[in-house]
């Protein structure tokens, strides 16, 4: 009879109970199993690693966010007041038994961020009417059963000019470059480095003042995920981490100012700015987007 080896294989679950593969955990150790990764990430970085039911909850929230973004996209056209996007997002979110996270978040007055042209992020929907040739970012964050998911896209209004086409393409590809770095063993700095290298190679700039973020049962959790940085630096990515990547890319200079409403961030030089955002889960082999859409 074939004897089954009791040796732990490199790809077997680690005997310490971390849920990681042996090769990613205790393989180098000969005695006492080390502290679980969950505990260590909590203690050292205040990062809440997610598993099981939490991931399922986040996935559901993410699905609703993408449905909401698709619905919002369907009404974007010249002449539309940005307030109409707010009304649609708010009502659809409530109908789906969810809560629009931006509303009253640190005093934000609306249910969605709508950022047009030189607005980098945190645009407040209102009386402005979209015009042919504008670009508009819609950033949706919903809370479903206590779980947050966060995603955004930048859309063309009517027919884009060459500058609009360029900045939207570069911002979209920037998110893609960042996402390609999301796998266990890489570090947070690898994400920012990939984005910065790509965006700057196209003559664009990367906003420094706002960063991606951990997300889960709170809107903004640890870690911060800058969209610039150095290869190999920062916290190591491990399965169960959930965070956003949301590069804001400017056609001109990276410097910004905040309007009197205390929220709206605009480029100082008036150049166009675009952004794409997804919520990502680090898996054993790479990542899963919890707010998936094609890039
Ligand atoms: N959704 C934004 C982000 O990606 C945060 C918006 S905060 C708000 O992190 F208050 F403006 F809604
Ligand atoms: Co975000
Ligand atoms: Co967002």
């Amino acid at each position: 009879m074939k004897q089954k080896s009791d040796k732990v294989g490199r790809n077997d679950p680690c005997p310490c109970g971390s849920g990681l593969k042996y090769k990613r955990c205790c393989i180098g150790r000969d005695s006492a199993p080390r502290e679980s990764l969950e505990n260590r990430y909590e203690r050292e970085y205040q990062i809440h690693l997610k598993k099981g039911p939490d991931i399922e909850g986040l996935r559901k929230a993410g699905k609703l966010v993408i449905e909401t973004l698709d619905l919002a996209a369907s009404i974007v056209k010249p002449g539309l007041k940005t307030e109409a996007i707010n009304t649609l997002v708010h009502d659809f979110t409530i109908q789906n038994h969810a809560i629009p996270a931006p509303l009253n978040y640190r005093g934000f007055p609306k249910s969605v961020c709508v950022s047009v042209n030189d607005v980098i992020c945190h645009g407040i929907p209102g009386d402005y009417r979209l015009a042919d040739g504008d670009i508009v970012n819609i950033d949706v964050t919903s809370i479903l059963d206590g779980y947050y998911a966060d995603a955004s896209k930048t859309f063309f209004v009517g027919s884009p000019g060459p500058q609009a086409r360029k900045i939207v393409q570069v911002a979209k590809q920037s998110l893609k470059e960042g996402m390609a770095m999301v796998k266990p063993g890489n570090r947070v700095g690898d994400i920012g480095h990939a984005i910065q290298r790509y965006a700057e190679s196209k003559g664009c700039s990367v906003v420094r003042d706002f960063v991606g973020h951990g997300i889960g049962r709170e809107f903004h959790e640890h870690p911060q995920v800058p969209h610039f940085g150095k290869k190999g630096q920062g916290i190591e990515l491990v399965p169960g981490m959930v965070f956003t990547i949301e590069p804001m890319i400017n056609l001109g200079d990276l410097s910004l100012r905040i309007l009197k409403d205390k929220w709206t961030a605009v480029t100082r030089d008036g150049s166009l700015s675009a952004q794409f955002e997804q919520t990502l889960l680090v898996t054993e082999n790479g990542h899963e987007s919890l707010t998936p859409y094609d890039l």
Side-chain angles (χ1 to χ4, degrees), residues 102 105 108 113 122 139 141 150 213 219-220 246 263 275 277:
Y105 176 77
F108 191 79
C113 296
H122 300 167
D139 190 341
T141 312
D150 189 3
H213 50 92
F219 201 156
H220 295 108
E246 49 181 298
W263 279 101
Q275 178 180 29
E277 171 176 30

Side-chain angles (χ1 to χ4, degrees), residues 180-207:
M181 303 311 292
V182 180
K183 57 180 175 197
N186 276 2
R187 291 176 179 269
V188 167
D190 294 323
I191 299 169
H193 178 262
I195 292 169
Q196 182 179 12
R197 192 178 56 156
Y198 169 73
E200 291 180 356
S201 81
K202 297 293 170 188
C204 298
S205 66
V206 177
V207 170

